[in-house]
Amino acid sequence: MKKVWQILLVGLLALGLALTASGCGGEKKSAQGTGEKKPIVVKFSHVVAESTPKGQAALKFKELLESKSNGQFKVEVYPSSQLYGDKEELEALRANNVQLIAPSATKLVGFNPAFQLVDMPFLFASDQAAYKFYDGEYGQKLLRSLESQGMLGLAWWPNGSKHFTNSKRPLKRPEDFKGLKFRTQSGGVLDEQFKALGAGSQTIAFGEVYVALQNKTVDGQENTFNNIDTQKYAEVQKYMTVSGHGRIDYVVLTNTTFWNSLTDEQKKLFTECMKEATDYERQLADELNQKSFENLKNSGKLEIYTLTDADRQAFIEAMKPVYDKYTDKIGKEYIEAARNTK
Ligand code: LMR
């Protein structure tokens, strides 16, 4: 009998050793058996392609945080609305189902109307002026303005100037917009902008824009060269106007409950990696947009018109009602600070 017990014990020991060596149940073993902690999982959801400035910067952030934390964090990036679309990603972040998103500032209008400042026609003098504004007093104030709603802004990731595309006719002067219908990212300033041009508008989630253009639910849209290129809008649009009339820039947001669960050390590391990813994103934004502009020109699929100074002036005049209606809603001090940043 004693012998049988001895054999059984040896057998069980051998099985245990084999399981450990083969890594079977590895996660549990490393978490409980060796005292190592399970990594903190950070889900990063976004709506654009991986080959965009936002897509690349999200991957850069993953690489940085995972390596610098020695595996303390695991970042899972979900591009192209794989996990959530425009509206859902905001709800998911607030529910802490994802810990990072980077929506275009426009999409935060429901939480703080001042974010719409990126849409004010011809407001920023240059990319550099926009970056400086975002990193300055007002940009930073905006990042902190959503805390009472469970979200904390960690960085501004600019994409760049936006331009019009449509399937009906070349758009050279404000009057050419009459009767057309455009997709917008969200309501407010953008609806007013198209109204000022005599056009209609409809809010459509980014992931559904291609089909809406293809089905002619709308005639056109406005976006950066890189989004127009990576979303293949040239397949369903005929004309592009290089107008640079507004911007598409992102706010990287985290959930405040998640953020407050981190130690000071972890927050510091997170912030450092975010800063590095932000520098990377800003370098890429210009480069990828220029590259995409070349792709669009070379595709031969779009008839491209670039506004002259006189055209631009005509658009500035035509879009004045947007300032009349939205300056106070956004905050005069924001508009002036943005305009005065050089
Ligand atoms: C859009 O909805 O057109 C953009 O905000 C998408 C994006 O994230 O660049």
Side-chain angles (χ1 to χ4, degrees):
M1 194 65 184
K2 200 171 162 204
K3 186 106 184 153
V4 174
W5 275 112
Q6 269 176 350
I7 291 168
L8 260 177
L9 200 64
V10 170
L12 277 172
L13 266 173
L15 184 68
L17 278 174
L19 280 176
T20 312
S22 71
C24 183
E27 273 249 327
K28 264 197 170 151
K29 275 269 181 266
S30 64
Q32 293 167 2
T34 66
E36 262 178 49
K37 285 218 177 97
K38 272 191 191 169
I40 300 169
V41 175
V42 179
K43 290 191 176 160
F44 192 156
S45 174
H46 68 80
V47 298
V48 290
E50 268 190 349
S51 55
T52 57
K54 176 160 60 183
Q56 289 295 300
L59 291 174
K60 172 61 94 186
F61 177 74
K62 169 186 167 68
E63 176 195 317
L64 290 168
L65 189 65
E66 288 182 351
S67 69
K68 291 196 182 192
S69 71
N70 291 322
Q72 232 187 92
F73 286 96
K74 181 168 184 293
V75 184
E76 295 173 1
V77 182
Y78 299 92
S80 303
S81 309
Q82 248 171 44
L83 211 52
Y84 300 109
D86 285 348
K87 198 162 161 274
E88 297 79 24
E89 72 173 17
L90 276 157
E91 285 161 7
L93 182 80
R94 294 182 78 200
N96 205 11
N97 290 336
V98 291
Q99 289 66 41
L100 285 174
I101 60 172
S104 137
T106 315
K107 293 172 188 168
L108 300 172
V109 50
F111 301 102
N112 179 356
F115 278 105
Q116 291 180 104
L117 132 152
V118 294
D119 296 313
M120 293 304 271
F122 303 100
L123 179 61
F124 287 102
S126 63
D127 285 340
Q128 292 314 319
Y131 297 6
K132 212 162 146 189
F133 174 86
Y134 297 146
D135 293 338
E137 180 191 345
Y138 288 98
Q140 296 304 300
K141 201 164 140 188
L142 282 170
L143 290 185
R144 292 189 303 269
S145 70
L146 305 175
E147 276 185 74
S148 62
Q149 325 214 37
M151 298 180 282
L152 176 67
L154 296 178
W156 282 93
W157 284 3
N159 186 328
S161 296
K162 61 184 176 178
H163 314 278
F164 298 110
T165 66
N166 90 103
S167 58
K168 287 277 164 48
R169 52 182 176 259
L171 302 174
K172 301 181 177 178
R173 307 287 286 191
E175 51 274 23
D176 299 330
F177 283 70
K178 237 190 180 72
L180 297 182
K181 192 171 174 192
F182 287 82
R183 174 264 173 170
T184 59
Q185 301 178 71
S186 74
V189 169
L190 296 179
D191 286 336
E192 196 61 28
Q193 167 192 273
F194 286 113
K195 198 168 141 204
L197 296 173
S201 55
Q202 183 177 334
T203 296
I204 297 173
F206 185 65
E208 291 155 30
V209 176
Y210 182 97
V211 171
L213 294 171
Q214 189 175 41
N215 292 346
K216 308 267 191 289
T217 308
V218 285
D219 303 303
Q221 63 85 48
E222 45 172 16
N223 233 306
T224 59
F225 291 136
N226 187 249
N227 275 345
I228 294 170
D229 180 29
T230 54
Q231 293 300 308
K232 305 198 183 335
Y233 291 159
E235 291 176 359
V236 286
Q237 298 278 267
K238 288 204 183 96
Y239 306 95
M240 179 166 82
T241 302
V242 179
S243 51
H245 60 284
R247 298 187 57 85
I248 292 197
D249 296 329
Y250 311 118
V251 183
V252 184
L253 292 169
T254 191
N255 173 286
T256 46
T257 308
F258 163 74
W259 185 251
N260 293 331
S261 74
L262 301 180
T263 63
D264 286 349
E265 194 78 359
Q266 287 167 337
K267 280 182 190 159
K268 190 164 164 268
L269 187 64
F270 213 91
T271 309
E272 272 169 28
C273 296
M274 187 54 71
K275 165 90 183 60
E276 220 176 308
T278 300
D279 292 344
Y280 179 72
E281 197 271 351
R282 292 183 184 189
Q283 263 174 37
L284 267 188
D286 186 43
E287 191 186 311
L288 293 184
N289 274 304
Q290 282 315 316
K291 212 160 130 193
S292 283
F293 188 30
E294 290 307 312
N295 289 345
L296 293 169
K297 283 195 270 191
N298 294 336
S299 76
K301 286 188 177 138
L302 289 171
E303 191 180 310
I304 300 174
Y305 179 75
T306 303
L307 295 188
T308 63
D309 286 347
D311 298 332
R312 194 179 144 91
Q313 207 46 49
F315 278 97
I316 291 174
E317 281 299 316
M319 290 175 172
K320 264 194 178 139
V322 182
Y323 280 91
D324 297 341
K325 188 157 174 196
Y326 276 91
T327 299
D328 286 345
K329 288 192 173 108
I330 287 173
K332 208 166 178 226
E333 68 281 17
Y334 280 96
I335 304 279
E336 274 171 9
R339 190 173 279 134
N340 294 332
T341 306
K342 298 288 178 239

